[in-house]
Amino acid sequence: MLEIEIKVRVPDIKAVREQVIASGGVLTETLTEHDSYYNAPHRDFGITDEALRLRETGTKTTVTYKGPKDTILGSKVREELNLDITDPKIFDSIITRLGFVMVAVVQKRREYYQYQDFTISLDQVEGLGNFVEIELISDSNAEMAAARVDETAIKMGVTGERITLSYLELLLSTR
Amino acid sequence: MLEIEIKVRVPDIKAVREQVIASGGVLTETLTEHDSYYNAPHRDFGITDEALRLRETGTKTTVTYKGPKDTILGSKVREELNLDITDPKIFDSIITRLGFVMVAVVQKRREYYQYQDFTISLDQVEGLGNFVEIELISDSNAEMAAARVDETAIKMGVTGERITLSYLELLLSTR
């Protein structure tokens, strides 16, 4: 399973929202995501380009491992493994006992839109600004999926600078 | 939260079962536990005396971290953190990506009895034999809790050799 995704910093998130809705995109969820990122004791995820994240949304808690990013046609491609858990505090205790260290917290308000088989996220990130993510989950042919993501970006007016850094990396780079 | 626990190898598990029931112990659950144990990439849990376990019971999947054992009045005392999860395969994938290695599998049929505030387990462990565990969860005063565990062991006829090794360690020691 591959995640094909672009992220673009947008000056006017309201204009993008209007275009997504005008194109038939449907708001499926609005939520606040509180993400805690951990680094490993035996290797530096900043160097290996991995991520271990604990995400709390108020209704759900998920642990995610992300493998190293690859780039195909300007889109990020990386392995993503998601595990639903019941108790964020216990997870934090266990992973801390195992020697992992919480290195950053990213908090954002996110609107999810479903448009065709794309997921479009409008993100207001605390301390960073506004961003749009366009994502496609694909079993095969990353090149074709990346081209479709490009078309949708143009259609929605999401034409600014593409950012390959994660919010975590953006946040750490401002420190 | 401390776990006070003794484990004794028993020649006649049927006699113990009869004594537990005669004393008012109530069978609360019979299940098969399939435990996978992992070792860390950056330290050897066999040396640090920790454990990371994935337990599947058919109805439930739990990840458990156990801290180093301490011994008070012949009873094992150690920190135990339990996290319910939804998907054992995804957990295995994530922990493997993080560099942990599955080192052993312990499979047993376990009968849980509730007797007063004790949990008594009658275990038939594949490749190892029959054992009885008597456990008390205590917030405070480990010495008093350990003495109560002793009394109950005598009452139930669980008077054989106390084993401080885990099933994992017993299994690894027979290799």
Side-chain angles (χ1 to χ4, degrees):
Chain A
M1 190 65 75
L2 293 172
E3 176 198 76
I4 317 287
E5 179 184 283
I6 62 166
K7 174 161 56 191
V8 180
R9 186 189 291 274
V10 293
D12 187 354
I13 202 165
K14 193 163 166 287
V16 176
R17 183 186 293 116
E18 285 167 3
Q19 184 56 38
V20 170
I21 292 168
S23 304
V26 175
L27 178 66
T28 54
E29 203 174 6
T30 300
L31 43 77
T32 299
E33 290 177 341
H34 184 279
D35 294 343
S36 304
Y37 287 90
Y38 296 86
N39 206 352
H42 55 295
R43 56 186 196 244
D44 184 346
F45 288 167
I47 291 168
T48 61
D49 190 26
E50 297 165 283
L52 180 65
R53 182 187 70 198
L54 173 65
R55 170 166 289 175
E56 299 166 75
T57 65
T59 56
K60 196 174 155 180
T61 304
T62 308
V63 173
T64 298
Y65 168 83
K66 294 193 179 199
K69 282 188 289 291
D70 197 2
T71 303
I72 297 175
L73 290 181
S75 289
K76 282 195 304 181
V77 180
R78 71 193 312 191
E79 185 187 36
E80 187 174 319
L81 298 168
N82 293 297
L83 179 71
D84 288 344
I85 65 166
T86 48
D87 190 325
K89 280 184 189 160
I90 294 281
F91 174 80
D92 178 76
S93 294
I94 291 178
I95 205 76
T96 300
R97 293 295 188 286
L98 294 177
F100 288 69
V101 176
M102 193 195 291
V103 289
V105 170
V106 177
Q107 182 138 2
K108 61 179 171 295
R109 182 181 180 280
R110 169 169 274 191
E111 296 166 35
Y112 283 104
Y113 290 84
Q114 194 64 37
Y115 167 71
Q116 296 175 0
D117 47 346
F118 299 93
T119 302
I120 301 177
S121 308
L122 274 51
D123 291 347
Q124 296 166 274
V125 187
E126 209 167 272
L128 283 181
N130 298 331
F131 301 83
V132 174
E133 288 191 2
I134 301 178
E135 182 185 300
L136 196 56
I137 304 290
S138 175
D139 272 333
S140 59
N141 203 331
E143 286 80 2
M144 185 174 295
R148 292 192 57 222
V149 168
D150 281 352
E151 282 170 30
T152 296
I154 292 164
K155 184 177 176 71
M156 301 305 171
V158 179
T159 53
E161 185 203 358
R162 295 205 178 177
I163 292 166
T164 54
L165 295 179
S166 64
Y167 294 133
L168 172 63
E169 290 165 327
L170 288 173
L171 201 74
L172 293 177
S173 73
T174 64
R175 279 186 184 174
Chain B
M1 189 65 73
L2 292 173
E3 176 199 75
I4 317 289
E5 180 184 280
I6 61 166
K7 174 161 56 191
V8 180
R9 187 190 291 274
V10 293
D12 186 354
I13 203 165
K14 194 162 165 286
V16 176
R17 183 186 292 116
E18 285 168 3
Q19 182 58 36
V20 169
I21 293 169
S23 304
V26 175
L27 178 68
T28 54
E29 205 174 6
T30 299
L31 44 76
T32 298
E33 290 177 341
H34 184 280
D35 295 343
S36 305
Y37 287 90
Y38 296 86
N39 204 353
H42 55 297
R43 58 186 194 244
D44 185 345
F45 287 167
I47 291 168
T48 60
D49 191 25
E50 297 165 283
L52 181 65
R53 182 187 70 199
L54 174 65
R55 169 167 289 175
E56 299 166 75
T57 66
T59 56
K60 196 174 158 182
T61 303
T62 308
V63 173
T64 298
Y65 168 82
K66 294 193 178 198
K69 282 187 289 292
D70 197 0
T71 303
I72 297 174
L73 291 181
S75 289
K76 283 195 305 182
V77 181
R78 72 193 310 190
E79 185 188 37
E80 187 174 319
L81 298 168
N82 293 297
L83 179 72
D84 288 343
I85 65 165
T86 47
D87 191 324
K89 280 184 191 164
I90 296 282
F91 175 80
D92 178 76
S93 294
I94 291 177
I95 205 76
T96 300
R97 295 294 188 287
L98 294 176
F100 288 69
V101 176
M102 193 194 292
V103 288
V105 169
V106 177
Q107 182 137 2
K108 61 179 170 295
R109 183 180 181 280
R110 169 170 273 191
E111 296 167 35
Y112 284 104
Y113 290 84
Q114 194 65 37
Y115 168 71
Q116 294 176 0
D117 47 347
F118 299 93
T119 301
I120 301 178
S121 308
L122 275 50
D123 291 348
Q124 297 167 273
V125 187
E126 211 168 271
L128 283 181
N130 298 329
F131 301 83
V132 174
E133 289 192 2
I134 301 177
E135 183 185 298
L136 196 57
I137 304 288
S138 174
D139 272 335
S140 59
N141 202 332
E143 287 80 2
M144 185 175 297
R148 291 191 59 220
V149 168
D150 282 351
E151 282 169 31
T152 296
I154 291 165
K155 185 179 174 69
M156 300 307 170
V158 178
T159 52
E161 186 204 358
R162 295 204 179 176
I163 292 166
T164 54
L165 295 179
S166 65
Y167 293 134
L168 172 62
E169 290 165 326
L170 287 174
L171 202 74
L172 293 176
S173 72
T174 64
R175 278 186 184 172

